[in-house]
Amino acid sequence: MDHQFVLILDFGGQYNQLIARRVRECGVYCEVHPYDTPMEKIKKMNPVGIIFTGGPNSVYDEGSPACSEEIFKLGVPILGICYGNQLMAKMLGGNVVAAEKREYGRTETEFDNSCVLFEGLDKVSITWMSHSDYIKDLPEGFTVSAWSKGCPVAAIQNPDKKFYGVQFHPEVNHTQNGKKMLHNFLYKVCGCTGDWSMGNYAKTTIEDLRKRIGNGKVLLALSGGVDSSVTAALLSKAVGKNLTCIFVDHGLMRKNEGDEIEAVFGNRGINFIRVNAEKRFLDKLSGVTEPERKRKIIGEEFIRVFEEEASKIGEVDFLAQGTIYPDVIESGTGKAAVIKSHHNVGGLPDNVRFKEIIEPLRLLFKDEVRALGTELGLPDNLVWRQPFPGPGLAIRIIGDVTKEKLEILRDADAIFREEIANAGLMRDINQYFAVLTDMRSVGVMGDGRTYDYTLALRGVVTTDFMTADWARIPYDLLAKVSDRIVNEVRHINRVVYDITSKPPATIEWE
Ligand code: XMP
């Protein structure tokens, strides 16, 4: 490893991913590992700093998670957050007790600015608290460096040992200056230099992949989404012709999308196979209206087509996947409560013969994956592609899916996206698309009566896609989109805008 490493020890808190993201945003590489990671392993990681995360337990409960005491003897700076702070205090001889009143939410907090964590920051600012215990007696060598009305010990420090603790959560946006506090810890306490960059990562990862794969054969299912595209780009640089990408075009993509994917990957010096399977999918979907049934059919058919194509190649050494770090943290360390359930198209194919799985993005966050894509020369429209569901437009057509309806939806959706791009709002609205409803209504065009479909537009603002607010798209822009769609796309005579947030609605209509 040719960059500094910060270890985040996971005690089961809900914000652990966020801590890791913030550290990386500070230009420092970090990984999240379980709190009971063996000392030998930790020593090998050679961390320049360690962060203890929050967690749902109380440190005085029997069996509550704790790390080895040896960690305090490594001479490595430690920052404890919430539970992590209390744990450090208790393990070093302090006393943690239940508070009379649980302190939760935005809290005015006062700081001792001579503490390096708070150097250069406001004397008083808002922090995000979430705890029901507090440190009553400090361990030897520690002093208090922040306090609030309800919490006399909101932060502690032992500068000689380079141990710091905060009762609040610096990683969440509600904590004003939270990121600066983490930055101070990383740069002023741990001596970080900010050596984590995508250019650097791309170079070393390509070399590592070359070593690992050698002359082996790699197979990848390319969907054209950001993750699989960046995986393909990375592997193409590492092993070129030894990579085969199978792109199953199910005919449910947006306008021109299949051709765009082919244009990017068709001449990258890899084996690129595009399977035009539109007819197969449409035949299977014919007359099907129930959303879950549609999803199932598409998922199963996808795997089947992929397997058929793969069987023509025979056994490969590696099956590549575009798994990214949030998936790994969620299912990997096993300490945090699982909140998100993934809904992907299929699963792993049963009938593809491979020896190992390779996941070159498994340590990257989404924004890092995008930065890497740009580094590897992928075009902006691919790198900044909004999420697109595996079942494609089939779940944006309410009712049965036909070739004609797909064409109508594609044209309308393309106009919507074009106008959002013209207005420069592409990155302000996190996901936006058109939905073809199965409702028809009466309209008038020229001198004639029409009886045609209603198209719904959907735009949402979200950071995690688990909750979302509907985007406040300016009326004038909506008017322009509506005008263009009813004039340019046949069979649509009415356009509506979806003003429901998630929950209670979901982002997709099916
Ligand atoms: P919902 O509709 O559940 O969507 O609010 C949340 C996010 O997930 C995307 N989505 C999918 N992505 N396979 C995917 O890979 C799917 O089957 C799928 N269904 C929904 C959706 O576009 C939104 O970004």
Side-chain angles (χ1 to χ4, degrees):
M1 208 181 303
D2 60 355
H3 46 72
Q4 294 173 317
F5 179 91
V6 166
L7 168 65
I8 297 174
L9 270 195
D10 181 1
F11 290 93
Q14 293 299 342
Y15 300 127
N16 299 351
Q17 268 201 40
L18 216 47
I19 301 173
R21 287 195 53 159
R22 294 285 173 265
V23 171
R24 297 225 193 145
E25 280 166 17
C26 290
V28 175
Y29 184 74
C30 64
E31 285 180 19
V32 182
H33 288 270
Y35 68 86
D36 51 3
T37 304
M39 261 339 269
E40 279 318 301
K41 197 168 162 192
I42 292 180
K43 281 184 193 157
K44 270 204 198 113
M45 293 173 185
N46 193 22
V48 295
I50 299 176
I51 298 178
F52 293 176
T53 76
N57 302 75
S58 282
V59 290
Y60 46 76
D61 285 347
E62 201 154 317
S64 57
C67 51
S68 159
E69 285 187 358
E70 244 193 278
I71 207 161
F72 299 106
K73 297 182 190 139
L74 291 176
V76 177
I78 295 177
L79 172 65
I81 296 176
C82 199
Y83 178 88
N85 173 38
Q86 295 164 357
L87 182 75
M88 176 169 70
K90 176 167 177 275
M91 288 181 77
L92 295 176
N95 189 17
V96 177
V97 297
E100 274 174 26
K101 221 172 111 215
R102 183 176 141 90
E103 195 176 29
Y104 184 83
R106 291 166 207 270
T107 308
E108 194 178 271
T109 307
E110 194 172 337
F111 299 94
D112 171 359
N113 294 111
S114 71
C115 170
V116 65
L117 284 194
F118 312 123
E119 239 173 54
L121 308 184
D122 300 331
K123 175 98 188 108
V124 177
S125 67
I126 299 297
T127 64
W128 184 260
M129 293 278 187
S130 169
H131 66 101
S132 49
D133 296 331
Y134 76 103
I135 299 171
K136 186 161 169 264
D137 305 308
L138 296 185
E140 209 183 302
F142 278 77
T143 54
V144 176
S145 54
W147 50 93
S148 71
K149 233 187 197 152
C151 185
V153 185
I156 58 173
Q157 61 165 341
N158 181 341
D160 291 343
K161 299 248 188 240
K162 299 193 177 175
F163 295 157
Y164 295 83
V166 289
Q167 195 46 62
F168 52 87
H169 288 274
E171 68 277 19
V172 305
N173 280 333
H174 303 299
T175 297
Q176 292 168 352
N177 300 326
K179 191 167 158 186
K180 290 186 192 149
M181 295 170 194
L182 289 171
H183 195 278
N184 279 346
F185 175 70
L186 296 167
Y187 284 75
K188 295 184 178 172
V189 181
C190 305
C192 291
T193 54
D195 60 0
W196 170 242
S197 76
M198 271 307 127
N200 179 340
Y201 180 80
K203 199 167 136 268
T204 52
T205 307
I206 289 168
E207 280 161 18
D208 290 349
L209 285 169
R210 258 185 214 139
K211 269 191 221 135
R212 178 164 169 206
I213 296 169
N215 205 24
K217 299 265 178 276
V218 190
L219 178 64
L220 169 72
L222 181 68
S223 69
V226 181
D227 303 342
S228 72
S229 295
V230 175
T231 306
L234 200 55
L235 285 165
S236 73
K237 295 238 169 178
V239 298
K241 273 282 176 211
N242 282 336
L243 171 69
T244 300
C245 289
I246 298 179
F247 163 44
V248 176
D249 186 351
H250 50 21
L252 307 168
M253 308 280 275
R254 291 169 292 196
K255 193 163 180 154
N256 300 332
E257 216 162 28
D259 295 342
E260 281 167 18
I261 293 166
E262 183 167 347
V264 174
F265 292 101
N267 49 17
R268 269 200 163 231
I270 58 175
N271 300 307
F272 173 82
I273 300 171
R274 175 176 180 177
V275 191
N276 290 313
E278 181 190 36
K279 185 161 177 348
R280 276 179 73 156
F281 281 85
L282 288 187
D283 284 351
K284 281 260 151 70
L285 286 170
S286 171
V288 179
T289 56
E290 212 271 307
E292 277 311 303
R293 185 89 205 98
K294 286 187 193 171
R295 281 175 176 274
K296 257 207 132 92
I297 289 173
I298 295 164
E300 282 166 15
E301 196 61 13
F302 184 90
I303 298 266
R304 206 153 303 145
V305 176
F306 182 71
E307 283 176 346
E308 278 173 29
E309 255 347 280
S311 72
K312 294 180 190 163
I313 304 169
E315 174 157 331
V316 293
D317 301 282
F318 300 91
L319 182 70
Q321 293 205 299
T323 318
I324 67 172
Y325 204 39
D327 312 329
V328 176
I329 298 186
E330 255 171 32
S331 52
T333 67
K335 308 295 183 219
V338 174
I339 288 193
K340 195 166 93 191
S341 77
H342 298 265
H343 40 184
N344 254 327
V345 191
L348 265 186
D350 293 327
N351 297 320
V352 173
R353 288 181 300 144
F354 61 92
K355 292 184 192 137
E356 274 179 64
I357 291 203
I358 197 163
E359 299 174 313
L361 308 181
R362 67 179 277 119
L363 295 176
L364 301 185
F365 287 107
K366 195 77 171 188
D367 49 338
E368 294 175 316
V369 172
R370 292 194 208 276
L372 178 60
T374 302
E375 189 69 40
L376 294 168
L378 290 180
D380 267 5
N381 62 354
L382 240 175
V383 166
W384 285 98
R385 196 173 183 262
Q386 32 173 320
F388 186 62
L393 299 182
I395 57 163
R396 293 180 181 169
I397 292 174
I398 311 304
D400 68 329
V401 181
T402 64
K403 201 172 161 104
E404 191 197 18
K405 285 187 192 169
L406 279 166
E407 266 158 29
I408 296 173
L409 179 57
R410 261 189 207 115
D411 287 343
D413 183 71
I415 291 173
F416 185 31
R417 287 192 289 137
E418 188 181 314
E419 290 301 334
I420 295 281
N422 289 344
L425 294 177
M426 281 161 79
R427 295 192 192 172
D428 298 307
I429 308 172
N430 304 99
Q431 197 173 5
Y432 47 96
F433 52 88
V435 175
L436 186 64
T437 75
D438 58 351
M439 191 183 84
R440 292 204 286 170
S441 70
V442 175
V444 52
M445 210 168 217
D447 292 326
R449 174 187 192 271
T450 58
Y451 185 59
D452 271 326
Y453 288 112
T454 297
L455 183 95
L457 302 175
R458 180 85 164 131
V460 295
V461 180
T462 174
T463 46
D464 55 12
F465 297 88
M466 282 148 59
T467 61
D469 194 8
W470 59 278
R472 302 321 195 245
I473 297 179
Y475 280 171
D476 288 348
L477 180 55
L478 286 171
K480 192 166 178 196
V481 173
S482 166
D483 273 353
R484 277 196 61 194
I485 289 176
V486 288
N487 280 305
E488 294 174 35
V489 184
R490 48 188 189 101
H491 297 310
I492 293 177
N493 67 353
R494 197 176 290 272
V495 177
V496 297
Y497 186 52
D498 181 348
I499 52 166
T500 342
S501 56
K502 170 186 178 178
T506 51
I507 295 175
E508 302 289 347
W509 276 37
E510 285 195 339

